[in-house]
Amino acid sequence: MQPDVQMFAKPFDAVVIGGSYAGLSAAMQLARGRRNVAVIDAGKPRNRFATASHGFFGQDGAEPARMIAAAREKLAAYPNVYFVADEASDARGHEGAFTVTLVSGPMLEASRLVLATGITDILPDMPGLADRWGVSVLHCPYCHGYEFGGAPLGVLATTPHCAEKALMITEWGPTTLFLNGQPMPDAGVLAKLARRGVTIEPSRIAVLDGEERTLQAVVLADGRRIAMAALYLTPRTVMASPLAERLGCSFEDGFFGPIIVTDGKKATSVPGVFAAGDAARGMHNATWASADGVTAGAAVHHSLIFEGLDAA
């Protein structure tokens, strides 16, 4: 059994904050590099609302919680890995001497940090929408599209790029673009939508209807019911944790919201701090998150190896 982190006298080589696809992938590289690493995880991955994850190598259709549990089990076999079931409330310091404070009070010290803290989706305030998020109200058709193939599909206008999304969704089924009070696309975009067979519905939506988390119809404010199996939207995103900002990491505008600036090795603008996963990339899915974690973990290990040599 691993000792309690409070009894671990020396600083960790690295603390990974976030224990989903990116964080666990980073920790695995460090564990196999024979470094002591702590993984802090509050158990709230972004895709916890989904019943299945699709498109991930060898795991197509697997339940996200089971995938994470299996990865944790594999990682727990390494005696130099420590799991901390908590949330990091603060992180300060500099390369070689970081301090991470847990919500429960204890502090962990580390030479390097990996931020795999993820992002939070800000969903539109619409009756029946949040309850169906991840099941029949969706973001990515590559992750959740094939299963609805041929069924009536919708796109909710939330950003200027929603028309482009509607053009793409037609690959999976007949598509309606719900403007929900947003402006009508310009003539050029309307022509493209027409060529792809997209129906334009300008009326506002009153409620999404269906049994439990399924979607059966979009009910409009004028009382009309439009049969619908799935509704796609592009939500605005925000950082799920304030730690990157508190550490002084640089940000840039991503497709959906701010993202942490990283280089090719997933190093942030703050020496010794690396970032991986949805919080540090514009395009999101489980495969990219895991791959970023591998890159970050290996880069952290390399930085630890060569730190002393470079100083000499």
Side-chain angles (χ1 to χ4, degrees), residues 155-170 175 177 179 185-186 189-190 192-193 196 198 200:
V155 173
L156 178 63
T158 55
T159 74
H161 304 290
C162 287
E164 180 179 343
K165 192 160 197 167
L167 293 170
M168 181 176 67
I169 295 298
T170 57
T175 303
L177 173 59
L179 296 180
D186 63 38
V189 173
L190 285 174
K192 292 179 181 179
L193 291 167
R196 292 288 283 176
V198 176
I200 308 294

PDB file of all heavy atoms in Angstrom, residues 155-170 175 177 179 185-186 189-190 192-193 196 198 200:
ATOM      1  N   VAL A 155     -28.612  21.293 -35.174  1.00  0.00           N
ATOM      2  CA  VAL A 155     -27.482  22.102 -34.718  1.00  0.00           C
ATOM      3  C   VAL A 155     -28.067  23.367 -34.108  1.00  0.00           C
ATOM      4  O   VAL A 155     -28.866  24.056 -34.751  1.00  0.00           O
ATOM      5  CB  VAL A 155     -26.518  22.449 -35.871  1.00  0.00           C
ATOM      6  CG1 VAL A 155     -25.449  23.426 -35.392  1.00  0.00           C
ATOM      7  CG2 VAL A 155     -25.874  21.184 -36.423  1.00  0.00           C
ATOM      8  N   LEU A 156     -27.670  23.673 -32.886  1.00  0.00           N
ATOM      9  CA  LEU A 156     -28.132  24.872 -32.208  1.00  0.00           C
ATOM     10  C   LEU A 156     -27.142  26.004 -32.443  1.00  0.00           C
ATOM     11  O   LEU A 156     -25.943  25.856 -32.162  1.00  0.00           O
ATOM     12  CB  LEU A 156     -28.278  24.603 -30.708  1.00  0.00           C
ATOM     13  CG  LEU A 156     -28.711  25.797 -29.840  1.00  0.00           C
ATOM     14  CD1 LEU A 156     -30.100  26.274 -30.235  1.00  0.00           C
ATOM     15  CD2 LEU A 156     -28.668  25.412 -28.358  1.00  0.00           C
ATOM     16  N   ALA A 157     -27.619  27.118 -32.947  1.00  0.00           N
ATOM     17  CA  ALA A 157     -26.746  28.261 -33.226  1.00  0.00           C
ATOM     18  C   ALA A 157     -26.302  28.900 -31.911  1.00  0.00           C
ATOM     19  O   ALA A 157     -27.115  29.470 -31.185  1.00  0.00           O
ATOM     20  CB  ALA A 157     -27.466  29.281 -34.090  1.00  0.00           C
ATOM     21  N   THR A 158     -25.025  28.776 -31.610  1.00  0.00           N
ATOM     22  CA  THR A 158     -24.456  29.395 -30.414  1.00  0.00           C
ATOM     23  C   THR A 158     -23.248  30.257 -30.741  1.00  0.00           C
ATOM     24  O   THR A 158     -22.871  31.108 -29.934  1.00  0.00           O
ATOM     25  CB  THR A 158     -24.029  28.322 -29.391  1.00  0.00           C
ATOM     26  OG1 THR A 158     -23.121  27.400 -30.025  1.00  0.00           O
ATOM     27  CG2 THR A 158     -25.231  27.559 -28.855  1.00  0.00           C
ATOM     28  N   THR A 159     -22.626  30.036 -31.893  1.00  0.00           N
ATOM     29  CA  THR A 159     -21.454  30.802 -32.315  1.00  0.00           C
ATOM     30  C   THR A 159     -21.587  31.119 -33.807  1.00  0.00           C
ATOM     31  O   THR A 159     -22.407  30.510 -34.511  1.00  0.00           O
ATOM     32  CB  THR A 159     -20.143  30.010 -32.095  1.00  0.00           C
ATOM     33  OG1 THR A 159     -20.053  28.980 -33.101  1.00  0.00           O
ATOM     34  CG2 THR A 159     -20.114  29.382 -30.706  1.00  0.00           C
ATOM     35  N   PRO A 160     -20.761  32.043 -34.309  1.00  0.00           N
ATOM     36  CA  PRO A 160     -20.800  32.361 -35.750  1.00  0.00           C
ATOM     37  C   PRO A 160     -20.438  31.172 -36.644  1.00  0.00           C
ATOM     38  O   PRO A 160     -20.687  31.209 -37.851  1.00  0.00           O
ATOM     39  CB  PRO A 160     -19.765  33.487 -35.884  1.00  0.00           C
ATOM     40  CG  PRO A 160     -19.707  34.110 -34.527  1.00  0.00           C
ATOM     41  CD  PRO A 160     -19.884  32.963 -33.564  1.00  0.00           C
ATOM     42  N   HIS A 161     -19.839  30.121 -36.061  1.00  0.00           N
ATOM     43  CA  HIS A 161     -19.395  28.984 -36.860  1.00  0.00           C
ATOM     44  C   HIS A 161     -20.419  27.854 -36.907  1.00  0.00           C
ATOM     45  O   HIS A 161     -20.134  26.777 -37.431  1.00  0.00           O
ATOM     46  CB  HIS A 161     -18.075  28.447 -36.317  1.00  0.00           C
ATOM     47  CG  HIS A 161     -16.991  29.469 -36.232  1.00  0.00           C
ATOM     48  ND1 HIS A 161     -16.382  30.000 -37.347  1.00  0.00           N
ATOM     49  CD2 HIS A 161     -16.412  30.068 -35.159  1.00  0.00           C
ATOM     50  CE1 HIS A 161     -15.472  30.889 -36.970  1.00  0.00           C
ATOM     51  NE2 HIS A 161     -15.465  30.950 -35.655  1.00  0.00           N
ATOM     52  N   CYS A 162     -21.605  28.087 -36.344  1.00  0.00           N
ATOM     53  CA  CYS A 162     -22.592  27.010 -36.263  1.00  0.00           C
ATOM     54  C   CYS A 162     -23.092  26.567 -37.633  1.00  0.00           C
ATOM     55  O   CYS A 162     -23.448  25.408 -37.819  1.00  0.00           O
ATOM     56  CB  CYS A 162     -23.758  27.435 -35.394  1.00  0.00           C
ATOM     57  SG  CYS A 162     -23.315  27.480 -33.637  1.00  0.00           S
ATOM     58  N   ALA A 163     -23.133  27.479 -38.593  1.00  0.00           N
ATOM     59  CA  ALA A 163     -23.541  27.091 -39.937  1.00  0.00           C
ATOM     60  C   ALA A 163     -22.560  26.084 -40.518  1.00  0.00           C
ATOM     61  O   ALA A 163     -22.959  25.111 -41.179  1.00  0.00           O
ATOM     62  CB  ALA A 163     -23.639  28.322 -40.838  1.00  0.00           C
ATOM     63  N   GLU A 164     -21.275  26.293 -40.268  1.00  0.00           N
ATOM     64  CA  GLU A 164     -20.254  25.356 -40.732  1.00  0.00           C
ATOM     65  C   GLU A 164     -20.466  23.986 -40.088  1.00  0.00           C
ATOM     66  O   GLU A 164     -20.299  22.946 -40.735  1.00  0.00           O
ATOM     67  CB  GLU A 164     -18.861  25.893 -40.402  1.00  0.00           C
ATOM     68  CG  GLU A 164     -17.733  24.989 -40.857  1.00  0.00           C
ATOM     69  CD  GLU A 164     -16.362  25.553 -40.539  1.00  0.00           C
ATOM     70  OE1 GLU A 164     -16.274  26.768 -40.272  1.00  0.00           O
ATOM     71  OE2 GLU A 164     -15.393  24.783 -40.544  1.00  0.00           O
ATOM     72  N   LYS A 165     -20.853  23.992 -38.808  1.00  0.00           N
ATOM     73  CA  LYS A 165     -21.111  22.727 -38.129  1.00  0.00           C
ATOM     74  C   LYS A 165     -22.307  22.023 -38.753  1.00  0.00           C
ATOM     75  O   LYS A 165     -22.309  20.792 -38.917  1.00  0.00           O
ATOM     76  CB  LYS A 165     -21.355  22.975 -36.644  1.00  0.00           C
ATOM     77  CG  LYS A 165     -21.350  21.719 -35.800  1.00  0.00           C
ATOM     78  CD  LYS A 165     -21.097  22.056 -34.351  1.00  0.00           C
ATOM     79  CE  LYS A 165     -20.671  20.835 -33.565  1.00  0.00           C
ATOM     80  NZ  LYS A 165     -20.125  21.177 -32.245  1.00  0.00           N
ATOM     81  N   ALA A 166     -23.336  22.792 -39.088  1.00  0.00           N
ATOM     82  CA  ALA A 166     -24.511  22.205 -39.726  1.00  0.00           C
ATOM     83  C   ALA A 166     -24.145  21.563 -41.062  1.00  0.00           C
ATOM     84  O   ALA A 166     -24.647  20.488 -41.409  1.00  0.00           O
ATOM     85  CB  ALA A 166     -25.584  23.269 -39.917  1.00  0.00           C
ATOM     86  N   LEU A 167     -23.266  22.206 -41.818  1.00  0.00           N
ATOM     87  CA  LEU A 167     -22.813  21.643 -43.091  1.00  0.00           C
ATOM     88  C   LEU A 167     -22.132  20.293 -42.874  1.00  0.00           C
ATOM     89  O   LEU A 167     -22.279  19.368 -43.687  1.00  0.00           O
ATOM     90  CB  LEU A 167     -21.848  22.605 -43.784  1.00  0.00           C
ATOM     91  CG  LEU A 167     -22.428  23.929 -44.284  1.00  0.00           C
ATOM     92  CD1 LEU A 167     -21.316  24.867 -44.725  1.00  0.00           C
ATOM     93  CD2 LEU A 167     -23.415  23.690 -45.419  1.00  0.00           C
ATOM     94  N   MET A 168     -21.418  20.172 -41.776  1.00  0.00           N
ATOM     95  CA  MET A 168     -20.703  18.931 -41.476  1.00  0.00           C
ATOM     96  C   MET A 168     -21.639  17.847 -40.962  1.00  0.00           C
ATOM     97  O   MET A 168     -21.529  16.674 -41.333  1.00  0.00           O
ATOM     98  CB  MET A 168     -19.608  19.212 -40.437  1.00  0.00           C
ATOM     99  CG  MET A 168     -18.794  17.996 -40.065  1.00  0.00           C
ATOM    100  SD  MET A 168     -17.440  18.385 -38.934  1.00  0.00           S
ATOM    101  CE  MET A 168     -18.352  18.845 -37.452  1.00  0.00           C
ATOM    102  N   ILE A 169     -22.600  18.203 -40.111  1.00  0.00           N
ATOM    103  CA  ILE A 169     -23.478  17.222 -39.482  1.00  0.00           C
ATOM    104  C   ILE A 169     -24.313  16.473 -40.512  1.00  0.00           C
ATOM    105  O   ILE A 169     -24.736  15.329 -40.274  1.00  0.00           O
ATOM    106  CB  ILE A 169     -24.385  17.906 -38.436  1.00  0.00           C
ATOM    107  CG1 ILE A 169     -23.539  18.466 -37.278  1.00  0.00           C
ATOM    108  CG2 ILE A 169     -25.430  16.944 -37.874  1.00  0.00           C
ATOM    109  CD1 ILE A 169     -22.765  17.418 -36.506  1.00  0.00           C
ATOM    110  N   THR A 170     -24.529  17.055 -41.683  1.00  0.00           N
ATOM    111  CA  THR A 170     -25.305  16.363 -42.714  1.00  0.00           C
ATOM    112  C   THR A 170     -24.660  15.044 -43.138  1.00  0.00           C
ATOM    113  O   THR A 170     -25.327  14.198 -43.737  1.00  0.00           O
ATOM    114  CB  THR A 170     -25.476  17.250 -43.964  1.00  0.00           C
ATOM    115  OG1 THR A 170     -24.189  17.633 -44.468  1.00  0.00           O
ATOM    116  CG2 THR A 170     -26.276  18.502 -43.627  1.00  0.00           C
ATOM    117  N   THR A 175     -30.316  17.326 -41.466  1.00  0.00           N
ATOM    118  CA  THR A 175     -29.951  18.313 -40.452  1.00  0.00           C
ATOM    119  C   THR A 175     -30.809  19.576 -40.512  1.00  0.00           C
ATOM    120  O   THR A 175     -31.084  20.114 -41.585  1.00  0.00           O
ATOM    121  CB  THR A 175     -28.466  18.705 -40.621  1.00  0.00           C
ATOM    122  OG1 THR A 175     -27.667  17.522 -40.526  1.00  0.00           O
ATOM    123  CG2 THR A 175     -28.030  19.692 -39.561  1.00  0.00           C
ATOM    124  N   LEU A 177     -30.786  23.463 -38.850  1.00  0.00           N
ATOM    125  CA  LEU A 177     -30.043  24.486 -38.115  1.00  0.00           C
ATOM    126  C   LEU A 177     -31.054  25.347 -37.370  1.00  0.00           C
ATOM    127  O   LEU A 177     -31.850  26.068 -37.982  1.00  0.00           O
ATOM    128  CB  LEU A 177     -29.211  25.343 -39.066  1.00  0.00           C
ATOM    129  CG  LEU A 177     -28.500  26.559 -38.452  1.00  0.00           C
ATOM    130  CD1 LEU A 177     -27.535  26.129 -37.347  1.00  0.00           C
ATOM    131  CD2 LEU A 177     -27.767  27.349 -39.524  1.00  0.00           C
ATOM    132  N   LEU A 179     -31.738  28.447 -35.438  1.00  0.00           N
ATOM    133  CA  LEU A 179     -31.140  29.755 -35.164  1.00  0.00           C
ATOM    134  C   LEU A 179     -31.489  30.245 -33.759  1.00  0.00           C
ATOM    135  O   LEU A 179     -30.721  31.010 -33.161  1.00  0.00           O
ATOM    136  CB  LEU A 179     -31.606  30.769 -36.205  1.00  0.00           C
ATOM    137  CG  LEU A 179     -31.168  30.488 -37.651  1.00  0.00           C
ATOM    138  CD1 LEU A 179     -31.705  31.573 -38.579  1.00  0.00           C
ATOM    139  CD2 LEU A 179     -29.655  30.385 -37.757  1.00  0.00           C
ATOM    140  N   PRO A 185     -27.995  33.530 -41.502  1.00  0.00           N
ATOM    141  CA  PRO A 185     -26.702  33.565 -42.207  1.00  0.00           C
ATOM    142  C   PRO A 185     -26.788  34.388 -43.489  1.00  0.00           C
ATOM    143  O   PRO A 185     -27.888  34.595 -44.045  1.00  0.00           O
ATOM    144  CB  PRO A 185     -26.450  32.090 -42.515  1.00  0.00           C
ATOM    145  CG  PRO A 185     -27.265  31.336 -41.510  1.00  0.00           C
ATOM    146  CD  PRO A 185     -28.480  32.169 -41.281  1.00  0.00           C
ATOM    147  N   ASP A 186     -25.633  34.843 -43.967  1.00  0.00           N
ATOM    148  CA  ASP A 186     -25.648  35.646 -45.187  1.00  0.00           C
ATOM    149  C   ASP A 186     -25.958  34.772 -46.403  1.00  0.00           C
ATOM    150  O   ASP A 186     -26.011  33.540 -46.320  1.00  0.00           O
ATOM    151  CB  ASP A 186     -24.332  36.400 -45.359  1.00  0.00           C
ATOM    152  CG  ASP A 186     -23.121  35.486 -45.522  1.00  0.00           C
ATOM    153  OD1 ASP A 186     -23.248  34.430 -46.183  1.00  0.00           O
ATOM    154  OD2 ASP A 186     -22.043  35.816 -44.989  1.00  0.00           O
ATOM    155  N   VAL A 189     -23.585  31.797 -47.294  1.00  0.00           N
ATOM    156  CA  VAL A 189     -23.691  30.657 -46.375  1.00  0.00           C
ATOM    157  C   VAL A 189     -25.013  29.929 -46.592  1.00  0.00           C
ATOM    158  O   VAL A 189     -25.068  28.696 -46.590  1.00  0.00           O
ATOM    159  CB  VAL A 189     -23.560  31.125 -44.906  1.00  0.00           C
ATOM    160  CG1 VAL A 189     -23.832  29.966 -43.953  1.00  0.00           C
ATOM    161  CG2 VAL A 189     -22.172  31.705 -44.659  1.00  0.00           C
ATOM    162  N   LEU A 190     -26.085  30.694 -46.808  1.00  0.00           N
ATOM    163  CA  LEU A 190     -27.391  30.081 -47.062  1.00  0.00           C
ATOM    164  C   LEU A 190     -27.347  29.197 -48.310  1.00  0.00           C
ATOM    165  O   LEU A 190     -27.963  28.121 -48.346  1.00  0.00           O
ATOM    166  CB  LEU A 190     -28.456  31.163 -47.222  1.00  0.00           C
ATOM    167  CG  LEU A 190     -28.920  31.845 -45.930  1.00  0.00           C
ATOM    168  CD1 LEU A 190     -29.861  33.003 -46.255  1.00  0.00           C
ATOM    169  CD2 LEU A 190     -29.604  30.846 -45.003  1.00  0.00           C
ATOM    170  N   LYS A 192     -24.760  27.555 -49.446  1.00  0.00           N
ATOM    171  CA  LYS A 192     -24.046  26.323 -49.089  1.00  0.00           C
ATOM    172  C   LYS A 192     -24.950  25.387 -48.279  1.00  0.00           C
ATOM    173  O   LYS A 192     -24.973  24.170 -48.508  1.00  0.00           O
ATOM    174  CB  LYS A 192     -22.796  26.659 -48.282  1.00  0.00           C
ATOM    175  CG  LYS A 192     -21.712  27.368 -49.057  1.00  0.00           C
ATOM    176  CD  LYS A 192     -20.521  27.670 -48.157  1.00  0.00           C
ATOM    177  CE  LYS A 192     -19.438  28.410 -48.921  1.00  0.00           C
ATOM    178  NZ  LYS A 192     -18.261  28.735 -48.048  1.00  0.00           N
ATOM    179  N   LEU A 193     -25.686  25.954 -47.336  1.00  0.00           N
ATOM    180  CA  LEU A 193     -26.596  25.153 -46.525  1.00  0.00           C
ATOM    181  C   LEU A 193     -27.660  24.496 -47.403  1.00  0.00           C
ATOM    182  O   LEU A 193     -28.013  23.321 -47.197  1.00  0.00           O
ATOM    183  CB  LEU A 193     -27.256  26.031 -45.454  1.00  0.00           C
ATOM    184  CG  LEU A 193     -26.328  26.542 -44.342  1.00  0.00           C
ATOM    185  CD1 LEU A 193     -27.026  27.637 -43.533  1.00  0.00           C
ATOM    186  CD2 LEU A 193     -25.886  25.407 -43.425  1.00  0.00           C
ATOM    187  N   ARG A 196     -26.354  21.505 -49.230  1.00  0.00           N
ATOM    188  CA  ARG A 196     -26.177  20.338 -48.350  1.00  0.00           C
ATOM    189  C   ARG A 196     -27.509  19.855 -47.783  1.00  0.00           C
ATOM    190  O   ARG A 196     -27.548  18.891 -47.021  1.00  0.00           O
ATOM    191  CB  ARG A 196     -25.229  20.694 -47.202  1.00  0.00           C
ATOM    192  CG  ARG A 196     -23.794  20.947 -47.612  1.00  0.00           C
ATOM    193  CD  ARG A 196     -23.090  19.668 -48.010  1.00  0.00           C
ATOM    194  NE  ARG A 196     -22.717  18.876 -46.830  1.00  0.00           N
ATOM    195  CZ  ARG A 196     -22.155  17.675 -46.891  1.00  0.00           C
ATOM    196  NH1 ARG A 196     -21.929  17.114 -48.069  1.00  0.00           N
ATOM    197  NH2 ARG A 196     -21.855  17.009 -45.792  1.00  0.00           N
ATOM    198  N   VAL A 198     -29.601  21.432 -45.706  1.00  0.00           N
ATOM    199  CA  VAL A 198     -29.857  21.845 -44.331  1.00  0.00           C
ATOM    200  C   VAL A 198     -31.127  22.694 -44.270  1.00  0.00           C
ATOM    201  O   VAL A 198     -31.281  23.656 -45.040  1.00  0.00           O
ATOM    202  CB  VAL A 198     -28.673  22.647 -43.750  1.00  0.00           C
ATOM    203  CG1 VAL A 198     -28.989  23.149 -42.340  1.00  0.00           C
ATOM    204  CG2 VAL A 198     -27.413  21.790 -43.744  1.00  0.00           C
ATOM    205  N   ILE A 200     -33.389  25.437 -42.372  1.00  0.00           N
ATOM    206  CA  ILE A 200     -33.186  26.562 -41.457  1.00  0.00           C
ATOM    207  C   ILE A 200     -34.465  26.773 -40.650  1.00  0.00           C
ATOM    208  O   ILE A 200     -35.544  26.911 -41.217  1.00  0.00           O
ATOM    209  CB  ILE A 200     -32.849  27.865 -42.222  1.00  0.00           C
ATOM    210  CG1 ILE A 200     -31.684  27.643 -43.184  1.00  0.00           C
ATOM    211  CG2 ILE A 200     -32.549  28.987 -41.230  1.00  0.00           C
ATOM    212  CD1 ILE A 200     -30.383  27.334 -42.518  1.00  0.00           C
TER     213      ILE A 200
END
